[in-house]
Amino acid sequence: MSDSVDMNPPRRYFSIHYILLRFLGLGWWHHPDEENTENFPVFYLFYAIITEIVWVAGFVGLESIDPFIGEKDLDRFMFSLSFVITHDLTIIKLYIFFFKNREIQDIVHTLEIDLQQFYQNNDKNRRTIKITRILTATFVFFGWITIGNANVYGIVQDLRWKAEIAKLNDTDIKPSRTLPQPIYIPWEYQSDTAYISTFLLETIGLLWTGHIVMTIDTFIGSIILHMSSQFAILQEAITTAYDRTIVRLTKGIISHSGDTLITVDSCNEEDKVYYERIVRTHYTEKEIEIALENTFKSCVRQHQMLIGCVQNFATTYSYGFMTQLLSSMAAICVVMVQVSQDASSLKSIRLVTSLAFFVAMIIQLALQCFTGNELTHQAGRVAEAVMQCKWERMPPRLRRLLLMTMMRAQRPLHLTAAGFTNMDNDCFLAIMKAAYSYYAVLSQRQS
């Protein structure tokens, strides 16, 4: 049974992400409590294939070849390249979600179901769910600003194009009509009807692929945050293990006398000493030792399950992290060039778009680096929790158990990008420095 602070645990930590994943054709993800891992039933499989062919293979394919076809001014080329880098490298993440689907589901099942058999602080779990939803909403908000401003910029440019065309004579050469998002279109779209249809098609494609990127990244960041939270809960379980055991032993004694038992959270040191005196009066040292052993063995099993969960996740999504670092470094560099150009030429609408995309790229990278750093930090603090668990009151046999737990916690637990680097704050700073270095080189070449 779970020894929880709140006996009403939250359910379905990733409900918002599951709704988005289902709609985007990335699998009909089942919640762990449904005990169903078939994410691609027959009819949904056809829907997933069609959406991925049309919006991923089709749209991203046309978007990818645009920078390299025909003459492009540098401004348009850099703006196009920033989206191409982000969307193309996301295909590796899609591969992980399609072909390592079962492994990701097992990790979510561990966080939501399996760990409930151990000590839990469900208030902390609810706060973590709230934080993940705020992070998701923030990332999606900046994504919408980027796409929305790109469309507004395209509409303004088209209105300017119409005004310019109205001033030309029939013999004058008319400039080409351009779309808001640089993309290769294999058909003619200069007429109003064709332009509006192509504009809508491009907007839907951009929204679809953008939401795939945002959903995957926020889902992964949310998983890491929940693993970090579970390590924080484990620390609480270890530090309160001695007092919880004494209180639990006292329940059977006090229930016969009719007194009211104070919980671990609310009692002060005098109460704890009083309860311990009662327990030692009514129980033998052997019985107390067995009760303490059961409590600490539960903490050890909880620790081992969490370590296994993190290691499975690190193995499953290792190349996803590598993809993230490569795409962030390149995209941030390209967007910095775009921002400097837009700022120098005072293109206010395009500048807002570039800045929003720049912020979204920073959030995308920070979401995984900062949460990965927090996971490593919280896993390491388990050793500190062992030092605060009143080990001096325990028999030598249990101290050896605590010593092994401490030694394991002192070995850093990292998420890595295919083994090349750890996902932490240092990695975030290194990527930002590298992006700025490339930006400085590109700026010098342009000048």
Side-chain angles (χ1 to χ4, degrees), residues 206-217:
L206 197 57
L207 284 169
W208 199 281
T209 53
H211 278 83
I212 287 177
V213 173
M214 293 185 288
T215 301
I216 290 176
D217 289 339

Side-chain angles (χ1 to χ4, degrees), residues 75 153 338-348 350-351:
D75 184 60
Y153 178 77
Q338 185 66 40
V339 169
S340 63
Q341 291 177 347
D342 294 341
S344 61
S345 58
L346 298 178
K347 296 178 181 179
S348 57
R350 176 62 71 85
L351 178 60

Side-chain angles (χ1 to χ4, degrees), residues 304-373:
Q304 292 173 338
M305 182 176 289
L306 272 173
I307 292 172
C309 180
V310 173
Q311 290 175 339
N312 291 339
F313 179 73
T315 303
T316 301
Y317 203 72
S318 178
Y319 287 98
F321 290 130
M322 190 67 186
T323 301
Q324 182 62 61
L325 297 185
L326 292 174
S327 63
S328 294
M329 182 170 58
I332 290 172
C333 170
V334 171
V335 174
M336 287 172 72
V337 174
Q338 185 66 40
V339 169
S340 63
Q341 291 177 347
D342 294 341
S344 61
S345 58
L346 298 178
K347 296 178 181 179
S348 57
I349 299 178
R350 176 62 71 85
L351 178 60
V352 173
T353 303
S354 300
L355 284 174
F357 190 54
F358 179 71
V359 173
M361 290 295 97
I362 296 295
I363 294 175
Q364 184 183 31
L365 177 62
L367 188 63
Q368 297 183 16
C369 287
F370 290 173
T371 54
N373 188 84

Side-chain angles (χ1 to χ4, degrees), residues 407-426:
M407 292 173 63
R408 179 59 187 89
Q410 288 174 340
R411 290 166 51 192
L413 196 61
H414 292 292
L415 299 176
T416 67
F420 287 98
T421 184
N422 298 326
M423 299 297 292
D424 53 22
N425 295 349
D426 292 337

Side-chain angles (χ1 to χ4, degrees), residues 12 86 102 127 130 198 225 256 283 320 373 394 424:
R12 303 188 170 182
T86 304
R102 184 66 61 85
R127 288 195 297 271
K130 185 177 180 180
T198 307
L225 270 181
H256 291 90
Y283 291 95
N373 188 84
M394 301 177 197
D424 53 22

Side-chain angles (χ1 to χ4, degrees), residues 68-306:
F68 312 103
I69 294 181
E71 294 292 331
K72 298 286 190 303
D73 61 86
L74 185 61
D75 184 60
R76 180 180 172 86
F77 177 80
M78 298 303 288
F79 185 70
S80 175
L81 193 61
S82 60
F83 283 91
V84 169
I85 292 170
T86 304
H87 291 161
D88 281 7
L89 290 177
T90 301
I91 294 175
I92 298 176
K93 297 179 183 179
L94 286 176
Y95 168 82
I96 295 173
F97 267 68
F98 281 127
F99 296 100
K100 294 196 174 182
N101 183 286
R102 184 66 61 85
E103 289 86 342
I104 297 175
Q105 288 189 81
D106 290 341
I107 292 164
V108 173
H109 191 279
T110 299
L111 292 173
E112 289 195 31
I113 304 297
D114 297 342
L115 285 168
Q116 291 298 321
Q117 63 183 297
F118 303 110
Y119 176 90
Q120 287 295 304
N121 185 334
N122 292 311
D123 287 336
K124 186 182 290 292
N125 286 331
R126 291 189 184 93
R127 288 195 297 271
T128 304
I129 294 172
K130 185 177 180 180
I131 291 171
T132 59
R133 290 177 178 174
I134 291 173
L135 289 175
T136 301
T138 302
F139 192 21
V140 171
F141 173 74
F142 280 103
W144 286 349
I145 289 180
T146 303
I147 297 170
N149 275 283
N151 285 348
V152 170
Y153 178 77
I155 293 172
V156 171
Q157 289 295 95
D158 192 58
L159 293 175
R160 290 176 179 173
W161 177 84
K162 287 184 176 181
E164 184 179 349
I165 291 296
K167 297 176 183 178
L168 298 177
N169 298 323
D170 294 337
T171 58
D172 293 332
I173 299 176
K174 297 181 179 179
S176 298
R177 200 173 190 177
T178 58
L179 292 163
Q181 170 66 21
I183 183 173
Y184 174 71
I185 301 296
W187 60 83
E188 183 64 33
Y189 59 89
Q190 297 299 308
S191 65
D192 284 345
T193 303
Y195 181 83
I196 292 173
S197 301
T198 307
F199 184 96
L200 291 174
L201 181 67
E202 183 183 83
T203 301
I204 295 172
L206 197 57
L207 284 169
W208 199 281
T209 53
H211 278 83
I212 287 177
V213 173
M214 293 185 288
T215 301
I216 290 176
D217 289 339
T218 54
F219 179 50
I220 293 301
S222 299
I223 289 177
I224 301 172
L225 270 181
H226 277 287
M227 290 191 294
S228 303
S229 176
Q230 285 298 322
F231 274 107
I233 291 172
L234 174 61
Q235 296 164 30
E236 184 179 316
I238 293 174
T239 54
T240 62
Y242 186 87
D243 293 331
R244 286 187 292 114
T245 303
I246 295 299
V247 168
R248 188 165 58 248
L249 291 174
T250 312
K251 283 182 179 179
I253 302 170
I254 292 185
S255 60
H256 291 90
S257 63
D259 294 338
T260 302
L261 181 65
I262 303 173
T263 62
V264 175
D265 295 330
S266 60
C267 64
N268 53 38
E269 286 301 321
E270 292 183 0
D271 295 323
K272 292 176 183 178
V273 171
Y274 170 69
Y275 288 145
E276 185 172 354
R277 190 181 303 118
I278 293 177
V279 167
R280 294 192 180 279
T281 302
H282 291 78
Y283 291 95
T284 64
E285 291 296 326
K286 185 64 176 177
E287 291 173 329
I288 297 173
E289 180 179 341
I290 292 173
L292 286 170
E293 183 180 12
N294 291 334
T295 302
F296 279 102
K297 279 185 176 180
S298 176
C299 293
V300 171
R301 287 194 295 269
Q302 186 175 357
H303 190 207
Q304 292 173 338
M305 182 176 289
L306 272 173

